[in-house]
Amino acid sequence: MIITINNLPRGSRPTVGVALSGGGLRGTSHIGVLKALHDHNIPIDYISGTSAGAIVASMYACGYSPQQMQSIIQSINVPDLVDLKITTSDLFKHGFKWLVHGKFRFWSVLPTGLLKGEKIEKFFTNLWQQKTVRDTKIPLAVTAVDIHSADTVFFTSPLPPNRAILNARYYHNALLCEAVRASISIPGVFYPKKYRGMTLVDGAVKNNLPTDILNHMGADKIIGVDLGYNGQTNHEINSVGEILMQCIEIMGREVTLIKSEQYADVIIRPQTYDLNHKDFKQSQEFIKRGYLATLEKIKEIKGMLSG
C-alpha cells in the first residue's frame, strides 16, 4: 500500500519522526496523539521516547495500534505492578542504624529506590517477549542516563554512519523490556536498572523530549510531543517525593527548552495539568486531551510535509 499525504506518495515526501516525552500518567496522552496522526494519515517513519513516552513509542514501533494501547490501559490493575523496595519496618531499621552510627547520614542508609521495578519489567516482557530494539517494525530510540558517567544512553535501531551525539552511548541489541525499564527509572522512585556495568535512570534527567536522536536517525521532519512541566504554579507539593518529582520536572523543562526544541518542526503540548495525575482512572481523559491537542496542529503538520 502506498501511503499518501497531501497527494504526495511515500517516496516523494519527507520522512517523519515523532518524539514522545516523559510525563508519568500524562504519558497516556501520547496514545491520543498517535490516534489523531493515524486518523489523518500522517505517516510515522521513526519514533523515540523517554520514560512514559518510551512505553508508548515501543508499543507503537512493535505494531500495537492506538486502539489496542487504549484497551491495554483499561485492563491494567496498577497494584499488580507495584513492588515496594522498602517497608515501614525497613524505615525503622535504617533510622535506628542512623541513630546508633552517627557518622552515617540518614539518606545514606536508605535504598536507591522505593520500587524494585521487577513487576513492571515482567509486564513489559509480556508485551514484547524477547524482542530487541532491532526487531521493531519502524526504527525506535529509547533514552536513559548512566548515573555514574552522566552519559545519555540510547537504545536504538542502528544509526546511519557518522551520526552520533556527544556524551552518548548506543546499544542496538538490548531487549525492549530492559530498555524501557531503564528509561522509566525515575530517581528515588524506581530502583535503577543495571545494564552492562551501568546504573541507568530515567532519560528525562538529560533528555525528556528526544528529538535529537530522530534527527541523527535520519528523520527529515520531527514532531515533538511535550508533556513536561510548562511553568504553571503547583501548590500540591506536600512531601519529599513530590518535591523530588517537581525538581525533575523543572530540570526537564529547562533541558527541553534549550536543547530538544531546536530539532522539532512542530511541538504538540496537550493541556493536562487540570487533571489528577495520580488517578489512573483518568487515563481516558488524558488520551482525549492528546487527541484534541493534535487536531489543533494537523493543518500545520500537513503544511510542513507538503512544503
Side-chain angles (χ1 to χ4, degrees):
M1 181 180 70
I2 295 178
I3 298 175
T4 63
I5 180 166
N6 291 356
N7 297 317
L8 291 174
R10 181 184 180 90
S12 62
R13 63 165 174 80
T15 55
V16 180
V18 176
L20 307 180
S21 80
L25 180 57
R26 299 193 302 276
T28 53
S29 300
H30 291 312
I31 298 173
V33 172
L34 295 176
K35 185 176 187 302
L37 294 176
H38 182 268
D39 287 351
H40 287 267
N41 298 315
I42 306 299
I44 300 175
D45 303 293
Y46 306 88
I47 193 165
S48 65
T50 293
S51 200
I55 301 174
V56 177
S58 297
M59 292 181 73
Y60 188 83
C62 285
Y64 284 93
S65 70
Q67 290 79 6
Q68 288 173 315
M69 290 187 233
Q70 193 165 354
S71 297
I72 290 170
I73 288 294
Q74 290 175 318
S75 68
I76 289 175
N77 182 28
V78 175
D80 291 342
L81 303 180
V82 175
D83 46 7
L84 287 175
K85 179 75 175 176
I86 186 168
T87 64
T88 302
S89 62
D90 290 329
L91 286 174
F92 279 112
K93 179 177 69 176
H94 292 312
F96 181 75
K97 284 183 179 178
W98 175 61
L99 289 173
V100 173
H101 305 286
K103 61 182 179 179
F104 294 111
R105 292 175 298 172
F106 179 63
W107 295 113
S108 69
V109 297
L110 290 178
T112 53
L114 297 177
L115 300 178
K116 298 177 185 176
E118 294 172 1
K119 288 186 177 181
I120 198 165
E121 188 167 337
K122 182 178 179 181
F123 172 75
F124 293 153
T125 301
N126 290 334
L127 287 177
W128 302 306
Q129 302 303 316
Q130 296 299 303
K131 282 188 172 70
T132 72
V133 289
R134 283 182 180 268
D135 300 326
T136 55
K137 293 186 177 182
I138 63 173
L140 167 73
V142 168
T143 66
V145 174
D146 178 15
I147 201 69
H148 296 304
S149 67
D151 284 345
T152 302
V153 173
F154 289 109
F155 298 101
T156 178
S157 308
L159 296 175
N162 302 319
R163 287 178 179 263
I165 297 170
L166 293 177
N167 302 316
R169 303 181 199 176
Y170 305 87
Y171 296 91
H172 309 305
N173 296 306
L175 292 173
L176 275 173
C177 58
E178 291 191 299
V180 177
R181 166 65 179 85
S183 188
I184 67 165
S185 299
I186 302 169
V189 177
F190 280 99
Y191 192 78
K193 175 66 179 177
K194 298 291 185 178
Y195 184 80
R196 296 194 180 186
M198 298 179 291
T199 300
L200 303 180
V201 297
D202 193 329
V205 171
K206 284 186 67 179
N207 197 344
N208 194 42
L209 186 62
T211 53
D212 50 355
I213 188 64
L214 293 175
N215 175 265
H216 286 75
M217 291 168 76
D220 297 316
K221 300 293 182 181
I222 296 172
I223 300 169
V225 186
D226 182 12
L227 299 175
Y229 176 65
N230 61 11
Q232 75 287 343
T233 301
N234 184 356
H235 294 292
E236 302 299 320
I237 302 176
N238 302 304
S239 68
V240 171
E242 288 169 346
I243 290 173
L244 176 62
M245 291 303 298
Q246 180 71 353
C247 289
I248 294 172
E249 292 267 21
I250 292 169
M251 289 187 293
R253 176 176 183 245
E254 294 302 309
V255 171
T256 297
L257 291 174
I258 294 170
K259 177 182 176 182
S260 302
E261 290 190 1
Q262 66 178 303
Y263 294 100
D265 297 282
V266 175
I267 294 185
I268 300 169
R269 289 192 172 93
Q271 298 304 308
T272 61
Y273 272 88
D274 60 313
L275 301 178
N276 186 343
H277 300 166
K278 303 173 186 177
D279 185 0
F280 203 77
K281 294 178 181 178
Q282 292 207 12
S283 60
Q284 300 307 309
E285 182 61 27
F286 282 106
I287 293 172
K288 180 181 177 182
R289 297 289 181 89
Y291 190 91
L292 294 176
T294 307
L295 291 185
E296 294 177 359
K297 294 282 189 173
I298 286 295
K299 185 177 180 180
E300 183 179 349
I301 292 169
K302 289 187 175 182
M304 171 189 75
L305 296 181
S306 62

